[in-house]
Amino acid sequence: MTRLDLKAGDRLVVKVGTASLVGPTGEPDDDKLATLCRQTIALRAKGIQVILVSSGAIAAGLGPLGLAARPSDIPSLQAAAAVGQGRLLSRYSHLLKAGGLVSAQLLLTRYDFMNRQHYVNARNTVDRLLALGVVPIVNENDTVAVDEIRFGDNDRLAALVANLVRAKTLALLTDARGVHTDDPRRVPDAPVIDEVDRITPELERRAGGRGSTLGSGGMASKIAAAWVATFSGVGVVVADAAEDEVLLLIAAGDKVGTFFHPRPKRVSARRLWIAFAQPPKGTVVVDPGARRAMVTDKRSLLPVGVVGTKGSFSSGDVVDVADRDGELFARGLVRYDFHELQEAQGRPSAELAGREVINRDQLVILEGDET
Ligand code: GLU
């Protein structure tokens, strides 16, 4: 297994979280921003097209608003982001200009990826910006969406951006050296995993936990992003933002952090979002016939194939789909509450007005290369 080295024309999406951009006072640290911009300039000089996904707007808004600490209520955080975003962009634009580069601001939300017209518009804009040699700088539009503030979703936003721009690699820069075999806060000498061929629910469970108090992410949100990106055919590296020349190492395919291999086939952004938008709330257990119908024949899951449920999910939640041996093979949006499904399981659709458990368009098959 080898990592990906980037050539001229390849696209690299780089996501940096608040914790990797601020200094001890909680405000954006110019040295950290300068290091990031210097590497971006070096990559762009090699013809590699860099798209930055940067948090740090809230942090940049604290000083001007005279706030000593990060507020705790969402409207104040949104206000701080609205104040800080322009200031943050002006730092980036100043630092990138030193390398002759122009920067652009893109404020997006996950809804922009679910709306076909918005998706196409955003893609056209980014394509043109990159063709013009500009460095697009993306953040969540915190005025209208607070997913990042609540869930650390800039990781997933970055994964969707990587899908949008057909990036070769997504670099998730953080304050850890990579994904450890165990939570390093509990097991301090847990080694960093070098490469992940395929994300498993077990890896997802073990890496759980939120990050530092300054940002909102954590490893769980990195893994969620890695699911989305690898299913988009994008390789992912989770690495330490403070590592010397980390972006240059990543672009060269050198060993740094944890590398997640891309999957051979791309899944549409909309289905990706459906499958990985929220952590699964439970599991639907199915028989071999239902599994075959879903995986091979690309059919919806019907109640007749369901043999059990785990967890107390509601209609509209994301659930895992597993076989009787507990092997997880799909994930999707369920259309039954768990207790309704317990009543309906095993019954033919005709008795249930044809109501599907998971519609095929709201289903992502996780196994094999079939999507
Ligand atoms: N999008 C926000 C920002 O850039 C949220 C980050 C956070 O929660 O710290 O600041």
Side-chain angles (χ1 to χ4, degrees):
M1 285 293 177
T2 48
R3 298 195 179 204
L4 304 168
D5 67 328
L6 305 185
K7 310 262 185 308
D10 286 339
R11 293 177 175 182
L12 172 67
V13 173
V14 179
K15 187 265 172 180
V16 249
T18 300
S20 305
L21 289 174
V22 299
T25 59
E27 292 194 47
D29 178 316
D30 244 7
D31 286 345
K32 291 182 178 170
L33 288 171
T35 304
L36 182 63
C37 290
R38 191 178 38 71
Q39 295 181 75
T40 302
I41 291 164
L43 290 170
R44 202 60 234 207
K46 294 182 199 221
I48 296 167
Q49 302 184 340
V50 182
I51 299 97
L52 295 175
V53 178
S54 174
S55 310
I58 293 175
L62 299 180
L65 288 174
L67 298 169
R70 186 179 160 105
S72 53
D73 66 295
I74 299 281
S76 303
L77 290 165
Q78 290 176 280
V83 171
Q85 177 66 22
R87 302 175 85 96
L88 185 65
L89 252 288
S90 107
R91 290 312 302 148
Y92 274 118
S93 113
H94 174 77
L95 290 163
L96 289 170
K97 197 169 156 210
L101 293 178
V102 174
S103 56
Q105 169 179 269
L106 282 84
L107 296 178
L108 299 173
T109 76
R110 68 184 165 105
Y111 300 102
D112 296 318
F113 293 86
M114 297 174 83
N115 175 311
R116 179 82 201 145
Q117 197 56 53
H118 283 203
Y119 183 84
V120 170
N121 291 344
R123 190 168 65 196
N124 290 341
T125 306
V126 180
D127 280 349
R128 182 53 53 88
L129 286 169
L130 291 171
L132 291 167
V134 173
V135 179
I137 304 179
V138 182
N139 196 356
E140 180 182 72
N141 187 351
D142 296 309
T143 306
V144 297
V146 293
D147 294 324
E148 190 199 359
I149 295 172
R150 283 188 205 279
F151 309 117
D153 250 2
N154 257 10
D155 291 322
R156 274 180 281 196
L157 186 68
L160 290 169
V161 169
N163 169 290
L164 177 90
V165 305
R166 300 168 301 279
K168 192 159 177 186
T169 302
L170 165 66
L172 297 172
L173 300 186
T174 180
D175 48 5
R177 285 190 299 122
V179 180
H180 292 257
T181 53
D182 260 299
D183 186 339
R185 285 166 300 188
R186 278 189 301 105
V187 186
D189 55 357
V192 170
I193 300 170
D194 178 21
E195 295 191 20
V196 176
D197 190 28
R198 188 158 287 204
I199 303 168
T200 59
E202 200 208 336
L203 176 75
E204 195 179 33
R205 263 196 309 278
R206 270 197 319 216
R210 287 168 71 85
S212 63
T213 48
L214 284 169
S216 343
M219 269 314 153
S221 106
K222 303 279 175 298
I223 304 280
W227 275 111
V228 174
T230 55
F231 269 82
S232 307
V234 178
V236 178
V237 181
V238 176
D240 188 346
E243 171 102 31
D244 212 20
E245 309 292 5
V246 64
L247 289 182
L248 304 182
L249 294 173
I250 290 171
D254 287 342
K255 189 174 152 161
V256 62
T258 302
F259 177 64
F260 294 78
H261 286 270
R263 304 284 293 241
K265 279 198 184 164
R266 289 166 56 97
V267 179
S268 78
R270 194 172 162 279
R271 281 169 71 217
L272 281 173
W273 190 262
I274 286 166
F276 305 113
Q278 326 146 18
K281 294 280 165 51
T283 305
V284 176
V285 184
V286 305
D287 66 19
R291 176 170 176 160
R292 217 171 21 251
M294 293 163 75
V295 175
T296 314
D297 307 335
K298 315 237 182 307
R299 302 244 294 271
S300 302
L301 174 62
L302 303 175
V304 69
V306 175
V307 295
T309 63
K310 286 182 203 150
S312 34
F313 51 82
S314 307
S315 172
D317 282 342
V318 174
V319 292
D320 284 333
V321 185
D323 65 15
R324 281 204 186 90
D325 299 329
E327 200 198 333
L328 164 64
F329 67 91
R331 195 169 268 189
L333 268 196
V334 69
R335 294 180 163 189
Y336 281 76
D337 294 343
F338 76 100
H339 53 82
E340 283 181 310
L341 188 54
Q342 283 167 357
E343 297 235 317
Q345 73 181 52
R347 287 170 54 192
S349 294
E351 286 180 20
L352 301 158
R355 187 171 162 205
E356 296 163 334
V357 181
I358 303 177
N359 177 269
R360 54 189 248 167
D361 292 332
Q362 300 184 330
L363 186 67
V364 174
I365 303 296
L366 303 175
E367 66 168 14
D369 297 329
E370 293 294 333
T371 48

